[in-house]
Amino acid sequence: MYIVMIASECAPVAKVGGLGDVVFGLSRELELRGHAVEIVLPKYDCMRTDQVWGLQPAYHDLWVPWDGGAIPCTVWFGFVHGRKCFFIEPHSSQAFFGRGTYYGFWDDAERFAFFSKAALEFLLRTNKRPDVIHTHDWQTALVPVLLYEVYAGAGLTDQRVCHTIHNFRHQGVTGPEILRVTGLNRPEYFGAPDRMGDDLDHHAINLTRGAILYANFVTTVSPHHAWEVRHTDLGCGLGHTLHQHQQKFGGILNGLDYEMWNPEIDPHIARHYNAASIEQKAGNTDALRDRMLLRGGRRPVIAYVGRLDTQKGLHLIRHALFHALEHDAQFVLLGSGSEHGINEDFSHLKRRLNDNPDCHLEIGYDEDLAHLIYAGADLLVMPSLYEPCGLTQMIALRYGTVPVVRAVGGLKDTVFDWDFSERPRQLRNGFVFEHADQHGIEFALSRALGLWRHEPALFRELATQGMAYDYSWNHPGRHYVDIYEFIRHR
Ligand code: ADP
């Protein structure tokens, strides 16, 4: 098949979060399976051009109809770690992608609506006729709408769209003028409650809702989250729409990049190991303690790595830290938040615990240190309030670090409780709790610490069972191919 990804991010050239990892990882997997993949991205001024090989203009004078006129664009081409990427650079005074950062502007909806339209115009003008177009999140949610309402009539007749929603909290809710600038017009038609009208703000247009209606298939990033967004308020107002379209909606777990996250060859860790040599992991625990100035001795190390965001269950992370200290365990945290208040709180906690030999908090983003923590810790906590997929627990499993997680979203799909899971004993890989309160996490943590302390052989067995799971792109890649095949022949 010939597949075109249209997205606002692709790691490592333009990455803000997990979306970028998925676009890159899935594209590589599809290519390994013999499909032709091209990725269309905006040409941001702030993107990592050092991660692009052979970047050069490939198409001049792409005129994209916009706001009653047209904006000329240059389309660049280059390889991002082997992936074929096209970058669209508009030339207009609005400098849509020349603003120093990726998101966060008052006209974000217009910026990415323009990108969505430009991507389709590019396919049309260059006679690219992919079997499937795969779009991601609200930024490219207008692609399926524009395809069927505008571009099918112009020549993109046979193209099918799969749209993936990575985060339901951001849906691209914007004013009706978006219809005018894109040339869709007809606000009474598109803005109707059963089309792109927003449930909560009746004057607004909801781009993600448009994608759900118009795409041939819609996915989110784990099976359990697909259930949650239909049956709980985690759908953020889209539950009803998803219900109506449930025959074309499903959850597919994200994959993990098994080359980047591999304790056998990871250049950032002190000792390499695999499931058969998991005792070598202790060398990484020592290195981690050295680096974080923690004392040695026979104590388990509990870690948290991730964004400091209320989504992640911050009060429970804090509780886990104090629980660890009270129970002769050690705690390391690596995280940063986008909210000043949250960073301040954790910096305050860091100062308070500065001299504690069993605990270290690192407030910031540090890729190298993250690798050492995954390799050196015994347990990793992830008490998220919601978690569409979650990569951190999968990385922990890969590194033989036992995850202690709340039973939400992708965490529920990937971690199976040592004591209570319905799975056979040899397929259990962590500790899981239900309620987002102190009792919940304490119960899971005390079981984990008990096993570590009193049944070290069993704890090691649990850790190696986690390492045996395959959360690479292998399975998700196959699922996406099945979906593409399914929609291609409809
Ligand atoms: P989310 O997408 O909600 O941030 P995920 O668990 O899906 O959470 O992905 C988080 C990824 O970001 C993991 O690869 C994790 O290692 C990495 N990460 C998060 N915070 C940091 C940090 N402060 N330093 C290094 N890596 C981080």
Side-chain angles (χ1 to χ4, degrees), residues 42 80 102 377 387 489:
V80 174
Y102 297 100
E387 194 63 71
H489 297 299

Side-chain angles (χ1 to χ4, degrees), residues 62-378:
L62 176 76
W63 288 83
V64 180
W66 194 251
D67 197 6
I71 295 180
C73 301
T74 304
V75 184
W76 298 65
F77 176 81
F79 289 95
V80 174
H81 295 246
R83 308 286 79 71
K84 291 178 184 157
C85 294
F86 292 94
F87 301 92
I88 297 183
E89 179 186 32
H91 304 288
S92 85
S93 56
Q94 286 153 296
F96 283 138
F97 308 116
R99 306 202 184 161
T101 52
Y102 297 100
Y103 310 127
F105 301 94
W106 67 273
D107 59 347
D108 274 0
E110 187 179 344
R111 295 169 67 220
F112 290 100
F114 177 81
F115 168 64
S116 300
K117 186 156 189 184
L120 286 170
E121 191 70 28
F122 173 60
L123 299 185
L124 179 70
R125 298 289 159 214
T126 52
N127 282 320
K128 290 182 181 292
R129 298 293 183 268
D131 298 298
V132 173
I133 297 172
H134 194 155
T135 53
H136 299 266
D137 266 352
W138 70 266
Q139 292 89 338
T140 50
L142 261 189
V143 168
V145 182
L146 288 164
L147 178 67
Y148 288 97
E149 293 287 351
V150 180
Y151 284 86
L156 295 176
T157 21
D158 298 323
Q159 281 54 55
R160 298 287 179 267
V161 180
C162 173
H163 182 77
T164 298
I165 303 172
H166 299 252
N167 189 340
F168 279 84
R169 257 210 311 190
H170 305 288
Q171 300 179 2
V173 177
T174 183
E177 59 283 0
I178 204 76
L179 299 170
R180 190 182 51 76
V181 290
T182 53
L184 284 167
N185 297 314
R186 296 197 287 159
E188 52 310 316
Y189 175 79
F190 287 108
D194 59 349
R195 274 199 193 77
M196 293 166 69
D198 187 58
D199 269 358
L200 307 174
D201 177 353
H202 296 299
H203 301 291
I205 299 293
N206 186 318
L207 303 184
T208 297
R209 178 176 240 178
I212 297 172
L213 261 64
Y214 281 83
N216 302 94
F217 209 93
V218 180
T219 68
T220 187
V221 291
S222 70
H224 190 63
H225 197 54
W227 182 90
E228 288 171 338
V229 293
R230 283 199 290 128
H231 296 100
T232 73
D233 56 6
L234 292 178
C236 304
L238 288 175
H240 178 63
T241 311
L242 290 167
H243 225 84
Q244 287 176 322
H245 295 274
Q246 57 178 316
Q247 77 290 349
K248 61 166 186 179
F249 175 62
I252 298 183
L253 207 61
N254 284 337
L256 185 68
D257 185 332
Y258 266 36
E259 279 180 29
M260 183 198 287
W261 299 105
N262 181 356
E264 286 184 284
I265 52 167
D266 191 328
H268 306 295
I269 67 178
R271 284 277 179 82
H272 292 147
Y273 61 99
N274 57 29
S277 59
I278 195 171
E279 66 285 349
Q280 299 292 328
K281 191 169 157 59
N284 292 303
T285 310
D286 292 341
L288 178 64
R289 285 190 174 124
D290 281 351
R291 171 123 181 223
M292 300 207 132
L293 305 175
L294 302 183
R295 64 175 159 166
R298 193 177 175 275
R299 283 179 196 85
V301 177
I302 305 174
Y304 173 80
V305 179
R307 290 181 298 118
L308 297 176
D309 184 294
T310 21
Q311 174 201 339
K312 302 292 178 184
L314 297 177
H315 62 297
L316 298 177
I317 295 170
R318 219 181 148 97
H319 191 71
L321 185 159
F322 286 106
H323 184 87
L325 297 182
E326 280 163 22
H327 292 83
D328 198 24
Q330 298 183 312
F331 197 94
V332 297
L333 175 144
L334 168 63
S336 67
S338 47
E339 279 178 47
H340 178 70
I342 294 177
N343 277 339
E344 256 315 292
D345 277 357
F346 276 87
S347 299
H348 179 76
L349 191 61
K350 178 184 167 77
R351 284 194 294 275
R352 190 173 135 200
L353 296 165
N354 213 16
D355 298 328
N356 193 310
D358 290 323
C359 151
H360 185 98
L361 283 70
E362 193 71 35
I363 315 298
Y365 190 95
D366 188 336
E367 190 87 37
D368 298 2
L369 179 58
H371 285 251
L372 183 60
I373 294 177
Y374 290 118
D378 298 288

Side-chain angles (χ1 to χ4, degrees), residues 21-96:
D21 291 319
V22 172
V23 171
F24 180 86
L26 176 58
S27 300
R28 183 172 61 191
E29 178 66 27
L30 293 168
E31 282 186 27
L32 289 173
R33 288 170 176 272
H35 304 287
V37 183
E38 291 172 341
I39 305 171
V40 183
L41 299 157
K43 187 167 186 294
Y44 301 100
D45 62 345
C46 53
M47 70 183 199
R48 298 267 312 265
T49 41
D50 61 314
Q51 302 290 332
V52 193
W53 186 80
L55 185 64
Q56 56 180 302
Y59 194 89
H60 292 284
D61 293 329
L62 176 76
W63 288 83
V64 180
W66 194 251
D67 197 6
I71 295 180
C73 301
T74 304
V75 184
W76 298 65
F77 176 81
F79 289 95
V80 174
H81 295 246
R83 308 286 79 71
K84 291 178 184 157
C85 294
F86 292 94
F87 301 92
I88 297 183
E89 179 186 32
H91 304 288
S92 85
S93 56
Q94 286 153 296
F96 283 138

